[in-house]
């Protein structure tokens, strides 16, 4: 009997709110400098990146606001800070693009997702500009219409 292939979802955490609140313009993939206990916690799915953003200090990018909850077995051995700033690993060209983008008015850098790439944790970040209230309403209308279209199509095929 042949084994079924495992379907691996490499996503650890997503920031769905970022796509609703911002117009996404340019995406980057960055590595994250993590401690050992943080990697173990992420393997157990204890990461959260809602309301997470990126700041640039001294020519380096940092992920601010990401929460990685410690495992019970680790919290007795280390002084744990779940909301600490974590360094993002980017090359010079990407960092210069990010610096230029943040100097423009209305631009910010947000984290979209944390995911596994082989054995490494990566963060998908994007240069974004904020949406106005009417843009958010348009997004909701489009989403509702697409959902309604799917229902109509599924009922018509039966």
């Amino acid at each position: 009997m042949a084994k079924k292939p495992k379907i691996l979802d490499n996503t650890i955490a997503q920031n769905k709110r970022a796509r609703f609140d911002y117009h996404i313009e340019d995406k980057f993939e960055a590595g994250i400098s993590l401690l050992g206990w943080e990697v173990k916690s992420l393997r157990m799915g204890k990461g959260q990146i809602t309301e997470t953003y990126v700041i640039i200090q001294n020519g380096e990018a940092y992920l601010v606001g990401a929460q990685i909850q410690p495992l019970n077995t680790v919290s007795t051995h280390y002084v744990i800070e779940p909301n600490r700033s974590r360094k993002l690993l980017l090359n010079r060209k990407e960092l210069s693009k990010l610096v230029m983008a943040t100097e423009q008015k209305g631009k910010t850098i947000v984290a979209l997702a944390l995911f596994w790439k082989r054995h490494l944790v990566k963060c998908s970040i994007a240069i974004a500009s904020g949406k106005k209230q009417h843009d958010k309403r348009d997004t909701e209308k489009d989403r509702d219409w697409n959902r309604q279209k799917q229902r109509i199509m599924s009922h018509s095929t039966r």
Side-chain angles (χ1 to χ4, degrees), residues 16 20 136 138-156:
K16 293 180 181 180
F20 181 72
K136 292 179 186 180
D138 290 341
T139 303
E140 282 186 44
K141 284 180 187 175
D142 290 341
R143 188 173 49 221
D144 291 342
W145 170 240
N146 286 335
R147 202 175 297 138
Q148 191 175 2
K149 252 193 321 193
Q150 288 294 333
R151 285 189 194 125
I152 292 169
M153 293 300 288
S154 66
H155 287 297
S156 66

Side-chain angles (χ1 to χ4, degrees), residues 69-117:
Q69 294 300 322
L71 299 172
N72 292 337
T73 56
V74 175
S75 60
T76 59
H77 304 308
Y78 297 106
V79 177
I80 307 280
E81 191 177 339
N83 292 338
R84 74 178 181 88
S85 298
R86 293 165 179 90
K87 185 176 175 183
L88 292 177
L89 308 172
L90 295 159
N91 63 35
R92 289 266 177 235
K93 189 185 281 187
E94 291 171 336
L95 274 172
S96 64
K97 283 183 185 178
L98 293 175
V99 169
M100 288 173 41
T102 54
E103 290 173 353
Q104 295 177 2
K105 186 176 180 182
K107 305 279 183 182
T108 186
I109 307 168
V110 293
L112 299 177
L114 284 178
F115 60 94
W116 295 103
K117 191 167 187 182

Side-chain angles (χ1 to χ4, degrees), residues 114-144:
L114 284 178
F115 60 94
W116 295 103
K117 191 167 187 182
R118 298 191 200 112
H119 64 285
L120 302 173
V121 177
K122 300 284 184 169
C123 182
S124 175
I125 60 174
I127 298 170
S129 57
K131 285 184 181 178
K132 303 277 191 252
Q133 190 65 34
H134 61 87
D135 292 334
K136 292 179 186 180
R137 280 190 229 118
D138 290 341
T139 303
E140 282 186 44
K141 284 180 187 175
D142 290 341
R143 188 173 49 221
D144 291 342

Side-chain angles (χ1 to χ4, degrees), residues 37 44 46 67 71 121 144:
W37 68 267
M44 299 305 248
K46 295 192 177 240
Q67 289 184 339
L71 299 172
V121 177
D144 291 342

